[in-house]
Amino acid sequence: MSETATHTDPNAPIIAEFRAHNGRVGGMFEGVTLVLITTAGRHTGKPWTTPVVAARDGDRWLVFASNAGRPHNPHWYLNLVATPQVTMEIGTDEGRVKPFAARAVPLTGDERDTQWDLQCARNPAFRDYAAATTRTIPVIALHPLDLTGDPARARLIAEQLIRHHEDLRAEIDQVRTRFEHALAGEPDPGALDTADADDLAGRLRRHCLTLCRHLQLHHIREDGAFSAFEREYPELVPAIRRLRAEHAVVEKALAAFAALLERAAGPDRGPDAEPAHLRAEFEAVSAGLEEHFAYEEAHLLPALRG
Ligand SMILES: [Fe+2]
Ligand SMILES: [Fe+2]
């Protein structure tokens, strides 16, 4: 489901190695400090995970939109300018990579120049990147979410996450309505044109993929926010452990359902394409999701509301 899992993303092996080795990557990145950042696609809303060279600067992290000296800014930079909420993954003392919610703030003026010069002194390749482009390479500070002594902020963030469940539930209901039309043999009011009116699996595939990436982005954001909740509210640790595990289960179930739709929408349809079968599979996935939403709502909000 993750775009990082597709063979079209050249960063996928680096991302996998990073996650498997507590943030360490060999080869050309041996000894280089990397973090993973996940931004929301500015056009697609799709989560976009990318490894970036980073430098720790007190409580914040600095990243550099060098794009290896190419003439244009990288996608992740354009994404975070549009939506500054990002999720960072970094290696930890616990021996495993952890996600952190962070706010991205591009540096300006002297502060940008000073931090850029420091980065070039640490890693001379960055001097070459600057020489290769006419761009002023952006330097961005990532401020990890810190809820210390700020219960009102913790509540607000949890409430925003939970409010998002309502949007996701509405999307699930829309997909369900489409199944009902198909099972009743009625034309789909959402069909784009008459040519695809019979292509239930193809249409569902498009709707479900949209739903899947909204869910994926929601869970990535939650995983990052959970790290801040855990620090501030130790009593939430067991519930959060379960919620994180459920995110992984949901991700797998969605990937399996997307693969089923892919087969059902393909030329070799077979019984996979039967609307009743597709609907049964969809209902199984959405029941699991609803259980997850309900557990999250029952455990996060009461604790954060004190
Ligand atoms: Fe969740
Ligand atoms: Fe959630």
Side-chain angles (χ1 to χ4, degrees):
M1 194 57 44
S2 157
E3 94 292 344
T4 59
T6 66
H7 62 274
T8 51
D9 180 1
N11 285 323
I14 300 171
I15 292 168
E17 192 179 344
F18 183 99
R19 287 179 176 151
H21 296 100
N22 192 25
R24 284 187 308 278
V25 176
M28 63 185 285
F29 293 110
E30 186 73 54
V32 175
T33 303
L34 291 182
V35 299
L36 300 185
I37 57 171
T38 298
T39 56
R42 62 201 179 284
H43 301 305
T44 61
K46 186 175 166 178
W48 180 259
T49 301
T50 189
V52 287
V53 173
R56 184 138 202 188
D57 181 40
D59 289 338
R60 63 186 189 172
W61 288 79
L62 301 172
V63 291
F64 311 89
S66 70
N67 213 4
R70 292 184 188 89
H72 49 275
N73 283 318
H75 288 300
W76 62 262
Y77 172 72
L78 302 173
N79 288 347
L80 65 75
V81 167
T83 307
Q85 281 84 31
V86 304
T87 304
M88 301 170 59
E89 289 167 73
I90 57 179
T92 65
D93 297 340
E94 298 161 41
R96 64 189 171 89
V97 166
K98 251 188 131 173
F100 290 90
R103 185 172 45 90
V105 182
L107 301 185
T108 56
D110 288 348
E111 190 186 17
R112 181 258 162 218
D113 296 345
T114 304
Q115 293 300 343
W116 175 254
D117 290 344
L118 285 169
Q119 178 61 13
C120 291
R122 277 189 294 263
N123 186 338
F126 281 78
R127 237 187 283 279
D128 301 336
Y129 300 150
T133 176
T134 54
R135 283 187 296 135
T136 299
I137 293 177
V139 179
I140 305 99
L142 300 175
H143 297 267
L145 175 63
D146 180 5
L147 299 170
T148 313
D150 196 352
R153 184 123 175 267
R155 264 197 314 274
L156 187 72
I157 290 167
E159 277 163 6
Q160 280 169 346
L161 289 169
I162 299 296
R163 210 171 305 132
H164 195 203
H165 289 180
E166 291 314 312
D167 300 336
L168 294 167
R169 284 179 172 120
E171 283 188 56
I172 292 168
D173 279 344
Q174 273 176 21
V175 177
R176 185 173 287 122
T177 303
R178 299 202 137 83
F179 275 115
E180 275 155 19
H181 281 292
L183 286 169
E186 295 164 8
D188 185 334
L192 296 175
D193 54 52
T194 49
D196 77 352
D198 292 326
D199 180 16
L200 175 71
R203 272 183 281 124
L204 285 175
R205 198 173 133 262
R206 287 193 291 279
H207 295 304
C208 286
L209 286 180
T210 306
L211 171 62
C212 284
R213 61 179 186 247
H214 290 165
L215 272 165
Q216 195 191 11
L217 191 57
H218 176 71
H219 285 169
I220 288 172
R221 290 238 166 97
E222 280 181 343
D223 285 337
F226 287 170
S227 299
F229 292 160
E230 279 170 323
R231 263 200 312 272
E232 200 59 11
Y233 301 90
E235 69 275 21
L236 272 176
V237 167
I240 285 178
R241 191 177 304 130
R242 170 170 158 169
L243 289 167
R244 282 193 204 276
E246 285 180 358
H247 287 179
V249 172
V250 165
E251 170 107 6
K252 271 200 188 125
L254 289 173
F257 186 62
L260 169 66
L261 287 174
E262 200 70 46
R263 285 196 304 279
D268 187 21
R269 300 181 173 211
D272 274 348
E274 284 298 318
H277 173 66
L278 290 174
R279 186 168 81 164
E281 292 296 316
F282 174 76
E283 288 303 339
V285 174
S286 20
L289 257 174
E290 182 46 46
E291 224 174 278
H292 171 74
F293 288 167
Y295 183 85
E296 208 157 60
E297 287 160 13
H299 288 78
L300 276 189
L301 282 185
L304 295 173
R305 282 178 177 148

